[in-house]
Amino acid sequence: MQIKDLDLPEDIIRFYTDSGIEELYPPQAEAIEKGLIEGNNLLAAIPTASGKTLLAELAMLKSIADGGKALYIVPLRALASEKFDRFRTFSSINIKSGGVRVGISTGDFESRDEWLGSNDIIVATSEKTDSLLRNETTWMEEITTIVVDEVHLLDSANRGPTLEVTLTKLMKLNPDCQIIALSATVGNAYEIADWLKAKLVLSEWRPTSLHEGVYLNGNINFHGSQKLIEARTKDEAVNVLLDTLEDGGQCLVFESSRKNSVSFAKRAGRMVSETLDKPTRNALDELVEQIIENGETEASNELAKCVRDGTAFHHAGLNSAHRKIVEDGFRSNKIKVISSTPTLAAGLNLPARRVIIRSYRRYDPNYGMQPIPVLDYKQMAGRAGRPHLDPYGESVLIAKSYNEMTGLFDNYIDSDAEDIWSKLGSENALRTHILSTVVNGFATTRDGLLEFIEATFFAHQNDTWGIMDVVDECLDFLRYNRMLEGDESLLPTALGRLVSTLYIDPLSGAYMVDGLKKAKPQNITDLTLLHLICKAPDMRQLYMRSGDYEVINDIVLAHSDEFAEIPPRSKEIDYEFFLAEVKTALLIQDWIGEKTLDYITKKFNVGEGDVHAIADIAEWLMHSMSRLSGLIAPEMSSENADISSHTALLEKRIHYGASPELIELVSIRGIGRVRARKLYDNDIKTVDAIKSSGLERVSELIGPKTARKLFKEIGLHFDIKSEEPGKVNSQTMGSLMEKEQSTFSDFEK
């Protein structure tokens, strides 16, 4: 089927033909035949790189041409950015005045983001979409096409319930809206399609053939064939990847842990570096400089060393800048090998000639090392083969014995992905969604809640009578904590409305309110408030390690008056959870106390990315507690009633990772906490002090380039004649340029 033959505006057809896409792949042609551009709902369960995104694009563009608006839902912020960059290329398509406009929204869960309504395509995470519904964003009712990427995440215990309830609400809010659901791995695709009232495109077709095999004793064993791998090192996976590079390909290696991914990248780098030519080495040196500029921990140096050798590691502990450098370096074929935890398989467009799954077991805190699901294997294997670049793709599992090899063929290569099951049936999953469903008027009675739940995927798979016991438990909890009122008719209270719009778990809200009331006014410190937000189930708490117990317990004893409540040590499980909360609070305390990231990552055995992720959640929760404290102020003692000013300051400090005295300086765009501290310690403590100090003095402290940007930011500019605001003489400029070349950038996000 040809693109030019589709019933689409000429400008859309020209956009694709000009970019070299003239003919549809077989699954895409099937989707067209099943009414994709005629407004039919569709579930496309087709392999990675088989053209799922194009299906979404055609449906969205047709909808926009007809005067509609599209919402593209993704599971990850990184994937949202990737899709946003792609869809921005539609600005040249003149199906409406000014071209197709694209917006993105992934954060600030209390914002309506009404400004996004002027766009034709809005890209958002499922959590952000849920928050937009909770905040009753008006343009949500204008959506005519909804795309759900990675719909198999309905099966995720963490993200699944939010995605499921969000889809259910959207279908109720916009019953005539077209739903396009996409996934590479769905075991029970017919069941999900039936729930969505969607046509199903189910295919194994790939533009680049995939060969799945198992490595054992020097050979990759495929069905019906073998491939001999030269033994150059003792590490079998290194031998397999060297074979890939020799043939001109790139390699993704999936490891079971962060530690293993780093170790493998280092080990492989010793051999990979010998295969690099001079142009590649020069290109890698540029990436190394970027990594050093964007990091301040020992892990940054480790990554830089690996990249210099043509390898890299990739996991959630890296900061976002490093992850992007690695991903872009791999896409441009500068980095030859990425050793990653399975997070890289979750949606990002990063294919390779060969995928090596070095470990098919993953650590479970309850059961130890366990085999991964088939669905996860299929996600990883699906990354093999770059369309239009590789003649084929290969995924390779590593076995130690013949029996293990046959087991891997039976349990992974020749198996179908598991069925997707709703995870909505627990109190933890339902509690927050029941509150938001009542607050937004999707249900105003218990019977109304039952009717709403009957529209979910959970009800599509199960009888609803069992879940109503859980619903009643949630309702009792919400009433007890004064978030809902009424028995048959359900009415949200002011507290319930605020908790819902803040996008926090009602249990988090209950903990915060209760803790604020119990805290002794004279003993409230930063640690008091940091511990309260770290108690929230929304917080990503740190694990307790064997060496932590004595240290954390001593801190608790020394600061016992500062905690709103301490569980008795006789309740061992409760007390261990409490210690983990305190440990997490201490990390945030170090962050706002301006400890270096290198110090924090080593002390708490975490990555830069973990620190930033915890700080992001902490900022959101501290903002929530600030809002909650303002609401309940009339119920608190007069000494506690002004706690909102303390929480508001902590929110800012968490955002910038700074002490109170630096807030004015770090609030200036481009001045991080390191530069702010340099200025402050040199008696430049305010914006006025920056202005009066002059460009040359400020340049001595933070570098000429940054200083000029700083003065521009605060409304002053300089020319080449004088140092006065608006003027800099040529001699001074030359001096500043010389300093700039020798000044090391200590920029810190």
Side-chain angles (χ1 to χ4, degrees), residues 379-408:
Q379 285 283 323
M380 290 185 274
R383 300 287 149 198
R386 299 170 300 171
H388 314 300
L389 294 174
D390 290 329
Y392 57 87
E394 290 181 349
S395 69
V396 182
L397 290 151
I398 306 292
K400 300 293 185 185
S401 67
Y402 180 81
N403 286 340
E404 185 179 24
M405 181 183 73
T406 57
L408 291 174

Side-chain angles (χ1 to χ4, degrees), residues 351-363:
R353 168 76 63 82
R354 184 177 278 164
V355 167
I356 302 172
I357 301 166
R358 198 162 176 274
S359 174
Y360 61 92
R361 292 187 174 91
R362 200 174 302 159
Y363 179 73

Side-chain angles (χ1 to χ4, degrees), residues 94-136:
N94 294 313
I95 52 177
K96 58 179 298 184
S97 176
V100 176
R101 294 184 296 272
V102 183
I104 183 172
S105 182
T106 58
D108 192 358
F109 292 133
E110 201 187 353
S111 170
R112 289 186 178 184
D113 284 357
E114 291 288 3
W115 63 272
L116 279 171
S118 62
N119 293 289
D120 305 301
I121 300 174
I122 297 100
V123 184
T125 60
S126 53
E127 289 81 9
K128 180 60 184 181
T129 305
D130 185 23
S131 77
L132 292 171
L133 286 167
R134 295 188 190 199
N135 285 280
E136 300 178 354

Side-chain angles (χ1 to χ4, degrees), residues 282-347:
N282 292 337
L284 289 171
D285 285 341
E286 294 176 10
L287 295 184
V288 168
E289 290 178 13
Q290 294 175 35
I291 289 167
I292 293 172
E293 287 174 4
N294 286 277
E296 52 178 292
T297 66
E298 183 59 36
S300 304
N301 297 330
E302 286 185 319
L303 180 61
K305 289 176 184 175
C306 288
V307 169
R308 187 173 280 111
D309 289 336
T311 68
F313 51 88
H314 187 293
H315 54 67
L318 296 180
N319 67 40
S320 57
H322 284 167
R323 290 198 297 269
K324 189 173 191 310
I325 291 167
V326 169
E327 291 158 14
D328 291 346
F330 191 78
R331 288 191 184 101
S332 60
N333 201 16
K334 297 169 186 173
I335 294 173
K336 304 301 179 182
V337 180
I338 293 181
S339 174
S340 171
T341 53
T343 52
L344 192 63

Side-chain angles (χ1 to χ4, degrees), residues 499-562:
V499 166
S500 181
T501 56
L502 287 170
Y503 203 75
I504 58 175
D505 188 324
L507 184 57
S508 296
Y511 281 156
M512 291 180 193
V513 169
D514 187 55
L516 289 171
K517 290 179 178 179
K518 287 181 177 177
K520 304 175 185 70
Q522 68 276 16
N523 294 331
I524 291 180
T525 64
D526 291 349
L527 183 59
T528 310
L529 301 174
L530 291 175
H531 170 253
L532 282 180
I533 64 169
C534 290
K535 187 177 182 179
D538 291 299
M539 174 54 75
R540 194 173 87 178
Q541 292 163 355
L542 298 175
Y543 290 111
M544 290 292 291
R545 300 178 185 275
S546 57
D548 293 335
Y549 291 89
E550 185 176 350
V551 174
I552 305 297
N553 189 61
D554 286 347
I555 291 171
V556 169
L557 292 174
H559 297 269
S560 58
D561 288 344
E562 298 176 38

Side-chain angles (χ1 to χ4, degrees), residues 16 51 140 225 267 416 436 468 483 514 644 653 666 710:
Y16 286 106
M140 294 293 282
S225 66
R267 195 161 58 252
D416 294 325
S436 68
M468 289 313 292
M483 297 180 194
D514 187 55
S644 57
R653 291 182 62 194
V666 292
L710 170 59

Side-chain angles (χ1 to χ4, degrees), residues 370-540:
Q370 295 293 309
I372 61 174
V374 179
L375 188 150
D376 287 10
Y377 162 75
K378 297 294 184 185
Q379 285 283 323
M380 290 185 274
R383 300 287 149 198
R386 299 170 300 171
H388 314 300
L389 294 174
D390 290 329
Y392 57 87
E394 290 181 349
S395 69
V396 182
L397 290 151
I398 306 292
K400 300 293 185 185
S401 67
Y402 180 81
N403 286 340
E404 185 179 24
M405 181 183 73
T406 57
L408 291 174
F409 270 104
D410 292 342
N411 297 325
Y412 289 109
I413 294 174
D414 298 332
S415 287
D416 294 325
E418 297 87 355
D419 286 351
I420 302 301
W421 285 94
S422 169
K423 298 299 189 292
L424 191 61
S426 69
E427 183 177 352
N428 287 345
L430 275 174
R431 186 169 51 226
T432 182
H433 296 299
I434 285 177
L435 178 61
S436 68
T437 299
V438 174
V439 167
N440 292 134
F442 284 99
T444 57
T445 64
R446 183 182 180 279
D447 289 342
L449 274 176
L450 176 60
E451 182 182 344
F452 179 84
I453 289 170
E454 284 176 343
T456 65
F457 184 52
F458 179 91
H460 193 76
Q461 291 187 306
N462 305 275
D463 291 329
T464 54
W465 64 267
I467 200 175
M468 289 313 292
D469 289 338
V470 184
V471 169
D472 286 332
E473 290 176 12
C474 293
L475 290 174
D476 288 342
F477 169 86
L478 294 169
R479 291 190 191 100
Y480 177 80
N481 287 283
R482 298 188 303 155
M483 297 180 194
L484 287 182
E485 295 175 340
D487 293 320
E488 285 305 313
S489 294
L490 301 173
L491 298 172
T493 64
L495 176 60
R497 286 187 179 279
L498 181 57
V499 166
S500 181
T501 56
L502 287 170
Y503 203 75
I504 58 175
D505 188 324
L507 184 57
S508 296
Y511 281 156
M512 291 180 193
V513 169
D514 187 55
L516 289 171
K517 290 179 178 179
K518 287 181 177 177
K520 304 175 185 70
Q522 68 276 16
N523 294 331
I524 291 180
T525 64
D526 291 349
L527 183 59
T528 310
L529 301 174
L530 291 175
H531 170 253
L532 282 180
I533 64 169
C534 290
K535 187 177 182 179
D538 291 299
M539 174 54 75
R540 194 173 87 178

